[in-house]
Amino acid sequence: MNDATLERFHYDNKIVKYFGAATIIWGLVGMLVGLIAATQLFLPEANLGNPYTTFGRIRPLHTNAVIFAFVGNAIFAGVYYSMPRLLKTPMWNKALSWFHFWGWQLIILSAALTLPLGITTSKEYAELEWPIDIAIALVWVAFGANMIGTLIKRRERHMYVAIWFYLASFVTVAILHIFNSLELPVSFFKSYSAYAGVQDALVQWWYGHNAVAFFLTTPFLGLMYYFLPKAANRPVYSYKLSIVHFWSLIFIYMWAGPHHLLYTALPEWAQVLGTIFSVMLVAPSWGGMVNGLLTLRGAWDKVRQEPILKFMVVAVTAYGMATFEGPMLSLKNVNAIAHYTDWIVGHVHIGGLGWNGFFTFGMLYWMWPRLFKTTIYSNKLANTHFWLGTLGIIFYALPLYVSGLTQFLMLKEFNEAGRLAYPNFLETVIQIVPMYMLRALGGLLYLSGAVIMMYNMWMTAKKGSFAEEEEDQAPALVKAYKPHGEFWHRAWERKPVFFTILATVAVAIGGVVEIIPTMLVKSNIPTISSVKPYTPLELEGRDLYIANGCVGCHSQMIRPFRSETERYGEYSKAGEFVYDRPFLWGSKRTGPDLHRVGGKYPDSWHYHHMTDPSSMSPGSLMPPYPWMTTNELDISNLPAKIRTLQKLGVPYPEGYDEQAVADYEAQASKVVGNLKEAGVEVAPNTEIVALIAYLQRLGTDIKQSTASNQ
Amino acid sequence: MEVIFVLIGVSLVLAITFLILFFKAMKDGQFDDGYTPSVRILFENQPKKSNKDQPKQSKSYE
């Protein structure tokens, strides 16, 4: 075979165009939902008065839309553009590319339908129920197989650093997704987590943090290493640095998850492990930032003129800010201030709006005219977008830092008598309402910029002419090239069986979902004898709490600080959560912690509070849930739920599934009786009854044990 | 809390896999050339109508 023979081949630009367009469309949708959610935080009426658009349900819709729809499609657009060009070969399999595209859009659509309907696991960034989880695994494996196939067919011996980032992202996200999604189905729309309480929290944040790492960071670093040098027409500052920071980043990131659980009931040593690795992370992260920014050395004059580079520079800078702030927030004493406050929300939006958003915009502005063989329609509009976006980020983040610190200072303040200076949580919320307004303004500015981009892109496409395929040529690789053994994927060459195995793994997930839990059931969390499984009514109430996304604003984790034990009661113990599937510790307190709310107020208080929160707490930002007093609860799944939980090791007596409905009704009529005494008439089969029973149960088990000890 | 052993196990397996991949990549010459790859990616969209029979750039290593 002649080494110098050129082969002709064609890059598929159509798939890039589709992923690019999906990025823009879903981006606008996700940002709009975010703006609505932000508005609801100072104007609860903005939820339109129906269950489907309440804050608790659209917050996960927003996070899923921007992470998996906006950023996800941006990753795929960038990979499908850069990878073939870096490897001098088209993507391996066109059918797989289109399966990937349509599969992913269908997953997004199903998320947009199920989340407002309250079909959710409530685990952050993993809210989608099990059938969608399996679909995600399948589509993700198709993406990976397509990349590996392309690698095998490559005509460029050397794998440019961007490709390493793409591969690591694929492998790690697959593992995280599968482990965190292990759950036992009750029905097509409901499942219980394979893990309970502390374990569930740990797995969730091992996943959650690495979703940030391997979905929002490493793929984008790969994109940065391709599109930033391209846009600046400069080689990357140091190729060696890129290799060093790649390997150290992917190694260290895996361990940082527990920093989301500092001062919680997670064992101390796991918290320390998380902190140490998080602090170390600053080095490789800044390696990436420095490498990106220094690529522009000697070319900063271009940044002045070129909106694409402006976007990219701010993106990389925001990455540097967020990855400095992250390790800092992982220090326990800083975390004690920031956790559960708006500081964290500000922090993630520096990453989301700045790093992911701005880099995506820069990449699209660079790629779009090239796809349509033209120049950008208007540089002026792109500059306007840039400044609106930048102002948007500032107006978004700064108020939230102020809000976070304000709340910290107020919540922890004691007066001279040694009592909480602001015993009512609501006082601290009312104080930060103006900040919430400013933050929504920031979101509005950012969204307007994105709308301008959409117009600019539309006009660019209209101006140019799209070529579905782009020709290129390169010599084939010499197959005999094997200087020191085989490359890992070289060994798989001519082994299509391997890909079948990969596909089988994805299909087998359904089976694993049932097997792993049965293996893990005999968990030995320090048990507290007075902690009992939820009664059927409480269980249904808990599932309602999950469906409505209450965890989005209310934590159930009292940290061992005096300011918290004074306010909420005894701090939370690991053994109290052994029957919590999933755990509901929460990550943000827009409202007060609820772990010890049980028995704090009479049933009628909860009834009035749910129908109109401001009647019990004037000025409250919580939306009213009046429909709960009339909506009938569908309990046809109750016996199946009991059986599923029994399989997971919850010690309900044998045959309890047949008894459950009767117990449900008995307890419901008790709650109805309590309400009647307070002058409230309500049917026993309504949602409110179950919810009140659950809220009244929260954190009470341990109270009983202390009471019986005395 | 035994799930932490599963997680540490998975993390270790993944970390070791990455380490093995790193060594293999190193042995295969992935990192021998720490400069030209960064330059090469900038030159892929050259006009190719002329000199059709010539490879447009020489392999930098091999």
Side-chain angles (χ1 to χ4, degrees):
Chain A
M1 186 174 174
N2 185 1
D3 185 25
T5 313
L6 279 179
E7 292 178 350
R8 293 163 164 278
F9 47 89
H10 295 88
Y11 301 129
D12 179 6
N13 277 349
K14 196 177 169 195
I15 189 89
V16 182
K17 181 176 86 168
Y18 271 65
F19 272 123
T23 308
I24 300 171
I25 294 165
W26 290 124
L28 289 179
V29 173
M31 289 171 211
L32 180 67
V33 176
L35 181 60
I36 296 171
T39 309
Q40 289 180 7
L41 284 181
F42 60 87
L43 193 74
E45 294 79 13
N47 68 17
L48 312 173
N50 69 77
Y52 311 110
T53 41
T54 45
F55 182 84
R57 293 192 185 185
I58 66 166
R59 181 199 175 268
L61 186 65
H62 163 64
T63 53
N64 276 276
V66 292
I67 296 173
F68 298 110
F70 172 58
V71 174
N73 277 308
I75 294 168
F76 304 141
V79 169
Y80 278 82
Y81 184 89
S82 61
M83 195 162 188
R85 284 165 175 81
L86 286 170
L87 297 173
K88 297 258 179 278
T89 180
M91 286 305 285
W92 175 55
N93 188 322
K94 240 183 187 176
L96 218 49
S97 303
W98 287 106
F99 171 74
H100 176 195
F101 177 80
W102 289 112
W104 197 256
Q105 311 314 317
L106 279 178
I107 288 165
I108 294 166
L109 268 183
S110 53
L113 287 175
T114 53
L115 292 174
L117 286 173
I119 298 165
T120 171
T121 67
S122 87
K123 290 172 77 160
E124 266 185 276
Y125 321 130
E127 286 94 349
L128 304 175
E129 263 298 351
W130 67 273
I132 311 178
D133 281 342
I134 292 178
I136 292 173
L138 277 171
V139 173
W140 192 256
V141 168
F143 169 50
N146 210 359
M147 285 204 292
I148 292 169
T150 311
L151 275 172
I152 293 172
K153 297 270 183 196
R154 74 187 193 275
R155 291 191 183 82
E156 184 65 68
R157 177 87 56 210
H158 194 278
M159 278 202 276
Y160 184 64
V161 60
I163 311 258
W164 288 100
F165 277 103
Y166 300 158
L167 285 177
S169 308
F170 159 65
V171 171
T172 317
V173 168
I175 291 173
L176 295 164
H177 172 71
I178 290 171
F179 271 91
N180 192 42
S181 301
L182 291 178
E183 50 219 352
L184 202 55
V186 173
S187 67
F188 195 68
F189 293 122
K190 174 77 193 163
S191 65
Y192 287 114
S193 174
Y195 320 98
V198 180
Q199 303 182 331
D200 197 43
L202 184 65
V203 179
Q204 158 59 28
W205 284 112
W206 175 75
Y207 161 89
H209 186 71
N210 286 300
V212 175
F214 288 91
F215 205 90
L216 300 176
T217 306
T218 53
F220 265 64
L221 284 168
L223 298 177
M224 178 188 88
Y225 276 118
Y226 181 79
F227 288 98
L228 182 58
K230 282 293 209 183
N233 200 23
R234 297 270 154 149
V236 60
Y237 169 64
S238 164
Y239 194 69
K240 280 180 194 154
L241 177 57
S242 74
I243 292 161
V244 172
H245 100 83
F246 166 76
W247 290 104
S248 43
L249 190 78
I250 59 167
F251 174 75
I252 297 176
Y253 245 133
M254 288 303 291
W255 307 83
H259 71 217
H260 289 257
L261 300 167
L262 298 181
Y263 285 115
T264 66
L266 187 75
E268 185 73 21
W269 62 273
Q271 298 187 26
V272 171
L273 198 67
T275 299
I276 293 173
F277 277 92
S278 303
V279 171
M280 291 199 297
L281 259 176
V282 76
S285 303
W286 274 45
M289 175 197 64
V290 162
N291 216 358
L293 287 181
L294 289 185
T295 298
L296 293 165
R297 76 200 184 290
W300 284 95
D301 55 306
K302 286 187 189 172
V303 180
R304 207 177 313 141
Q305 290 142 9
E306 190 49 80
I308 294 169
L309 286 178
K310 285 184 197 169
F311 274 113
M312 290 183 174
V313 164
V314 171
V316 176
T317 311
Y319 173 64
M321 297 290 136
T323 53
F324 169 72
E325 199 182 13
M328 192 174 70
L329 287 168
S330 305
L331 298 171
K332 284 190 90 167
N333 41 4
V334 183
N335 194 271
I337 298 171
H339 194 43
Y340 292 131
T341 75
D342 285 306
W343 184 344
I344 304 299
V345 185
H347 166 64
V348 299
H349 280 84
I350 292 282
L353 301 171
W355 165 236
N356 297 113
F358 265 37
F359 200 86
T360 301
F361 300 148
M363 183 179 85
L364 287 171
Y365 279 123
W366 186 85
M367 215 159 58
W368 214 247
R370 277 167 181 76
L371 291 179
F372 288 89
K373 307 274 172 263
T374 179
T375 51
I376 194 149
Y377 167 70
S378 164
N379 249 334
K380 211 170 175 183
L381 283 181
N383 274 316
T384 314
H385 176 197
F386 171 77
W387 286 108
L388 277 175
T390 307
L391 278 176
I393 296 173
I394 293 169
F395 271 99
Y396 190 100
L398 288 186
L400 289 191
Y401 288 121
V402 173
S403 148
L405 287 170
T406 306
Q407 217 171 15
F408 150 73
L409 290 169
M410 290 180 81
L411 288 172
K412 303 231 172 193
E413 189 170 334
F414 284 88
N415 60 23
E416 281 164 12
R419 288 306 193 58
L420 286 167
Y422 304 97
N424 187 356
F425 188 90
L426 190 56
E427 284 177 275
T428 72
V429 178
I430 290 168
Q431 197 68 30
I432 59 179
V433 167
M435 297 300 134
Y436 282 166
M437 294 176 175
L438 280 175
R439 154 289 202 119
L441 172 69
L444 179 67
L445 289 173
Y446 194 89
L447 174 64
S448 336
V451 172
I452 290 176
M453 177 185 75
M454 176 143 133
Y455 173 72
N456 207 353
M457 294 307 206
W458 178 260
M459 295 308 282
T460 306
K462 248 176 110 174
K463 189 175 115 180
S465 66
F466 180 70
E468 278 197 11
E469 309 227 293
E470 194 175 309
E471 196 187 87
D472 199 357
Q473 47 194 355
L477 278 189
V478 187
K479 300 259 175 186
Y481 175 79
K482 275 180 196 169
H484 326 277
E486 287 190 321
F487 229 122
W488 54 287
H489 40 75
R490 302 281 291 175
W492 301 338
E493 209 158 342
R494 290 185 298 279
K495 282 183 188 168
V497 183
F498 176 74
F499 295 106
T500 324
I501 293 173
L502 272 187
T504 318
V505 168
V507 178
I509 291 167
V512 175
V513 164
E514 308 231 350
I515 295 160
I516 302 273
T518 18
M519 279 159 40
L520 285 176
V521 284
K522 289 180 193 73
S523 42
N524 278 316
I525 289 257
T527 46
I528 302 169
S529 58
S530 61
V531 174
K532 295 279 183 304
Y534 293 104
T535 67
L537 184 66
E538 290 158 5
L539 185 68
E540 289 290 354
R542 189 171 199 274
D543 287 341
L544 263 179
Y545 185 98
I546 291 169
N548 283 293
C550 305
V551 70
C553 290
H554 296 281
S555 59
Q556 290 186 17
M557 171 49 62
I558 301 163
R559 296 177 293 173
F561 300 133
R562 186 163 158 255
S563 59
E564 296 208 357
T565 51
E566 285 278 307
R567 185 179 303 277
Y568 304 119
E570 180 68 13
Y571 69 89
S572 307
K573 319 275 190 297
E576 291 183 82
F577 302 100
V578 286
Y579 303 120
D580 281 15
R581 290 171 194 272
F583 80 114
L584 292 171
W585 296 0
S587 59
K588 172 74 192 1
R589 283 180 188 150
T590 305
D593 187 280
L594 296 181
H595 190 212
R596 303 261 178 245
V597 81
K600 200 170 174 184
Y601 308 103
D603 288 359
S604 57
W605 186 94
H606 286 292
Y607 180 90
H608 294 303
H609 184 256
M610 289 308 294
T611 44
D612 182 12
S614 56
S615 68
M616 304 322 270
S617 324
S620 171
L621 299 183
M622 183 166 138
Y625 287 81
W627 48 82
M628 280 197 165
T629 59
T630 47
N631 277 5
E632 283 178 19
L633 193 62
D634 173 22
I635 55 164
S636 56
N637 270 341
L638 184 55
K641 283 181 176 176
I642 298 288
R643 284 193 296 272
T644 309
L645 287 171
Q646 280 173 326
K647 267 185 230 165
L648 287 167
V650 178
Y652 289 114
E654 209 165 312
Y656 187 68
D657 52 327
E658 287 163 28
Q659 171 83 37
V661 176
D663 277 14
Y664 177 97
E665 283 161 358
Q667 197 185 356
S669 62
K670 243 190 241 168
V671 176
V672 171
N674 288 343
L675 288 172
K676 202 167 195 173
E677 276 174 35
V680 179
E681 288 282 350
V682 68
N685 57 354
T686 47
E687 291 182 342
I688 190 90
V689 174
L691 189 74
I692 290 175
Y694 172 61
L695 291 173
Q696 294 291 32
R697 169 68 185 274
L698 274 175
T700 52
D701 286 5
I702 209 162
K703 285 182 194 163
Q704 282 165 0
S705 81
T706 39
S708 59
N709 286 346
Q710 282 159 1
Chain B
M1 233 12 250
E2 68 220 34
V3 76
I4 199 167
F5 299 112
V6 177
L7 291 184
I8 288 184
V10 172
S11 297
L12 272 176
V13 166
L14 201 62
I16 291 168
T17 314
F18 283 144
L19 191 71
I20 293 169
L21 286 180
F22 170 68
F23 283 129
K24 284 211 167 191
M26 208 172 59
K27 269 189 174 174
D28 203 64
Q30 169 77 20
F31 308 130
D32 288 358
D33 180 359
Y35 181 65
T36 38
S38 65
V39 180
R40 187 165 47 215
I41 69 147
L42 299 175
F43 298 102
E44 61 185 333
N45 290 324
Q46 286 174 333
K48 344 177 175 68
K49 272 160 201 157
S50 57
N51 59 354
K52 256 185 188 171
D53 299 321
Q54 302 244 310
K56 59 185 173 194
Q57 62 210 41
S58 57
K59 284 262 172 300
S60 53
Y61 75 13
E62 253 188 89

